[in-house]
Amino acid sequence: MNPVRAVGRSVLGLLRTAGRVALFGGKGLAAALTPPMFLGQFGRQVLAIGYFSLPVVGLTAVFTGAALALNIYTGGGRFNAEQIMPQIVALGITRELGPVLAALMLAGRVSAAIAAEIGAMRATEQIDALETLSTDPFRYLIAPRLLAAILTLPLLTAVADTIGIAGGWLVATASLNFNPALYVQNTWSFLQSWDVVSGLIKAAVFGFLVALMGCFHGYYASGGARGVGRATTHAVVSAAILVFASDYLMTSVFSRGL
Amino acid sequence: MTDEAPPKLEWRGVKKRFQGRVVLDGLDLAVPRGRSLVIIGGSGQGKSVTIKIAIGLLRPDAGEVRVDGRDVTRLRGAERRDLSREFGMLFQSAALFDSLTVWENVAFRLLNADRVPRAEARARALEALSRVGLGPNVAQQSPGELSGGMQKRVGLARAVVSQPEIIFFDEPTTGLDPITADVINDLIVEQVRRLGCTAVSITHDMASARKIADEIAMLHEGRIVWRGAAADIDRSGNPYVEQFINGRADGPIKGAV
Ligand SMILES: Nc1ncnc2c1ncn2[C@@H]1O[C@H](COP(=O)(O)OP(=O)(O)OP(=O)(O)O)[C@@H](O)[C@H]1O
Ligand SMILES: [Mg+2]
């Protein structure tokens, strides 16, 4: 096989998929932002995507905050900078780790569940049935999930930020001899609102991408149970990759502009 | 109404292929208003595809679908969803929504497309369920808890609840025991008669076809090879039909396996 041709073919395939995803996402967003809405479905998804993700996101955040604090304390000690550890932890969590970790947890939990559910509905002709019952699957299935993820991931991130910083505080006060009140005060006076807001903006974009990958792969699942399994895997992997790639892109835009 | 009235539903020269494999090859078929047509044919001959093209779930590569003489082949989006208010469909797999209760399934179009108040939708769903022999205790259950025969009943109730003008049945009796199958056949005949609607059914089951059909058409290799009154099926003089209804392995139809 001619390697140039093979590379060309996979590049074309990638572009074609990117185009289909973009069309799908645009259609989904349009349905999410215009009436009629299915409020019951939306409420269900807010619970499934947002509320039930709180425990995993919280646990991840507290351990990451604690580990980050230890690492920065030890590393900072090499040039006598241990004392600015609270500020670095706060910055790392709000700008980067809070949104990214919450999004990765959501990629594992939610995009897999969405892909499996919608994929199974495709396999059992339930999506066809929707159409024959005069109901637009984009409005009924896709839009509520996209909207719920876009709105709840920033909230989850705010929780992750708080719990992550608390994790750092716990380690600092319990074993590194930091003054509890001073730690909080240092963090609070150092943080700028943009540190937090930029992280929340990232989170909204991640929420869209994570839900989109679940919906897209589920919607086009084919080939029975194996197809649904494949869709689930693809959803999780592509959601995680998109989270990292868009994180870098947004970070570079944010740090240039502001 | 004159004899010139257009057929309720018509396929004209419909062609469809999947990945280069021809499934429908110029299908011509018409169903007069108020008649019940049954399409028979072997597995994989494109019977389900024929119905899916009629209701717009698949788009033909060539040819057109007409409803009341109007070309509806290229309707999409809101126009398509308006047209599908005239249709009811019982899927081969029943295709009930497993996240909803039985009555919410039956009332789905009323609740979500027509935005009928919940209490009224529920009342109409219960009425439709009682017509297919299911009581209010079943209405609260989840479709996954029901037997195959009961799922078909629910699917039938969902298809008839908003009084469609054309109903499609994709293998309504496949996978059921002969007695349950006969109950479903009776229900279909009863509902179609009550609504006075046009019916298009697919089946492998000749007992079912004889019971439901006014007319029978046989699909083979992408075309209609025979069509006639249900009463004439035993003297069709057509080798495909004779082989099919007698279930013989030898004849013009080659087994697909
Ligand atoms: N969406 C699709 N994509 C690709 N191929 C398809 C699709 N739908 C149907 N086919 C193919 O078209 C052919 C006809 O399928 P169809 O489901 O209409 O058969 P059928 O006559 O209903 O058979 P059965 O009696 O087994 O239900 C099959 O070979 C099937 O693999
Ligand atoms: Mg079929």
Side-chain angles (χ1 to χ4, degrees), chain B residues 151-171:
Chain B
Q151 291 187 358
K152 288 278 161 101
R153 288 182 197 238
V154 176
L156 179 60
R158 185 173 73 178
V160 301
V161 69
S162 41
Q163 312 191 330
E165 296 184 15
I166 310 179
I167 310 192
F168 298 90
F169 301 101
D170 193 349
E171 307 205 8

Side-chain angles (χ1 to χ4, degrees), chain B residues 189-242:
Chain B
V189 172
E190 190 185 313
Q191 296 303 313
V192 168
R193 193 165 299 148
R194 180 179 69 89
L195 295 168
C197 60
T198 308
V200 178
S201 320
I202 293 174
T203 190
H204 296 141
D205 170 0
M206 285 314 296
S208 174
R210 285 174 210 275
K211 195 144 194 177
I212 303 174
D214 298 322
E215 291 170 61
I216 295 180
M218 170 137 186
L219 179 67
H220 185 69
E221 294 187 336
R223 290 161 178 273
I224 299 300
V225 292
W226 183 82
R227 150 138 209 200
D232 295 339
I233 188 81
D234 294 311
R235 38 196 153 85
S236 64
N238 181 297
Y240 294 98
V241 175
E242 281 174 4

